[in-house]
């Protein structure tokens, strides 16, 4: 995965300073993987016998999946970015991943899918924060 | 459209205070319509002979479409909302719609699709701002 | 809603034969509204005390929402359409809406959101079928 | 990436026969990566000086990205799948990837992003075909 994201960044005619690429590549990859993980976690929660207790977790998973997906697409575009827009997307993604990591961590002891999802959300939240920091 | 969004809000077992519904209904509807309008505007720009001059507009259209879609989904969910997450999505949507409205307005005199899209983005930006204000 | 979709179709530089527009406009609108309705129905099901019995309904709602959204975007693009691709998307959307209409109808007597969603899915399924038929 | 997708499949309470997992895991991963690659290729095309000649390619990229994303979500859900719906999504994805692979291959000699995207689309088309075949 990482390789494809990087290959496409390098192939883009408008790619900017090399020094940003590592944080950007990691953030695109993290958003993409986190979106899939949250989608899968919502569905795994739905199949648990105690689904009624996981309604809040499913809801946060679905929100986080949608926002991560949108953010991965925004970050994948390198043509004429509107900096304010890109930052606002990153900030929303950071918040969504933090909320979902907290929610899933509460169920991590009971469900492996929530444990994995909490880790993935934390990784994505950190990738968004790192990219915002790298952009100053 | 408006009717379906409202009907579904009313049918939800967890719908909260009536007084929030008008701003919420309008914001869900505006996000949904703005997402479609931006998708259509990006494609209409692509078919213009002067497409090279519209690259930035197409890019902003696509970003705005993705963020509006994610926001419409987040707002359509009424089960256990994470307030910080919902606000961050609304804020990102407000910023994206403002950026796209500004970009499209520059081409409004030349292209009806950009004029319509600028109006739709402005309406959506205002609906997001109004909902944030209503939530205090 | 309908008006914006139509306005954007008319504003597109590449819009084709007038005679296709009514079926196309209705199908884009139906896909968009059905996607939102399915997203809202999945969340309303999640808030029901008997959510465990609605797991299959939630799952089908989410699939249908994703496919309707993708189809509304594909149909909103009028530049150089690949006919085989557009037809395959419409066919998948028709099948997804039929599956979701059947699933939601089973819960229509108990939940208004499922009754509304079943109607919306049936409408969208018919709009996809009508567009496929109009395209011969 | 591959590891996360597999971990989540294994963590799902309803995961079915082991023998299906390799094809399913590869197809989810391929859909996810292809969606990102097509999004990036559309944007890279947009930044090319000869963008007017790439309008059809951009359009097909965007369609393929949307359909691959929806398909990756449908496949990531393992609770009560509707077989007809899942197959229809896979079939639409197979067709979209084939169309995009053909379109991008025409520009592969001129643009590395189109070459990479053509390869990714072909891989995803094969993953969808393999999964349909594995399901008999």
């Amino acid at each position: 995965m990482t390789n494809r994201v990087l290959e496409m960044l390098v192939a883009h005619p408008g790619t900017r300073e090399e020094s940003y690429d590592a944080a950007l590549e990691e953030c695109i990859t993290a958003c993409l993987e986190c979106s899939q993980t949250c989608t899968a976690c919502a569905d795994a929660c739905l199949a648990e016998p105690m689904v009624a207790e996981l309604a809040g977790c499913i809801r946060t998973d679905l929100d986080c999946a949608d926002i991560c997906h949108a953010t991965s697409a925004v970050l994948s575009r390198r043509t004429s970015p509107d900096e304010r827009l890109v930052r606002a997307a990153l900030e929303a993604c950071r918040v969504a991943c933090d909320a979902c990591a907290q929610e899933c961590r509460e169920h991590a002891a009971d469900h492996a899918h929530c444990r994995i999802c909490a880790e993935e959300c934390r990784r994505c939240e950190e990738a968004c924060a790192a990219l915002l920091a790298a952009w100053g």
Side-chain angles (χ1 to χ4, degrees), chain A:
Chain A
M1 165 69 117
T2 301
N3 289 347
R4 277 293 189 217
V5 170
L6 180 58
E7 278 184 82
M8 290 302 283
L9 284 173
V10 172
H12 195 291
T15 300
R16 297 183 300 175
E17 298 89 302
E18 287 293 317
S19 55
Y20 287 1
D21 283 0
L24 178 59
E25 176 198 344
E26 162 60 8
C27 199
I28 294 171
T29 304
C31 285
L32 206 58
E33 295 192 11
C34 193
S35 178
Q36 195 273 333
T37 304
C38 287
T39 298
C41 187
D43 185 73
C45 288
L46 200 57
E48 296 290 352
M50 50 158 14
V51 54
E53 295 168 46
L54 296 167
C57 190
I58 293 172
R59 189 254 151 89
T60 312
D61 275 335
L62 294 175
D63 283 357
C64 194
D66 286 337
I67 293 173
C68 284
H69 173 64
T71 305
S72 77
V74 168
L75 292 175
S76 296
R77 299 185 185 111
R78 310 310 304 149
T79 303
S80 311
D82 180 289
E83 194 174 313
R84 209 163 45 101
L85 184 160
V86 179
R87 282 178 179 278
L90 274 171
E91 182 61 26
C93 195
R94 204 187 58 69
V95 170
C97 288
D98 182 54
C100 199
Q102 285 186 40
E103 177 69 43
C104 276
R105 195 161 42 193
E106 289 182 31
H107 314 288
D110 294 324
H111 306 299
H113 48 83
C114 286
R115 178 184 53 72
I116 299 166
C117 192
E119 290 167 8
E120 194 64 32
C121 288
R122 191 56 69 204
R123 170 195 171 199
C124 192
E125 188 241 328
E126 287 169 5
C128 292
L131 192 53
L132 283 165
W135 284 347

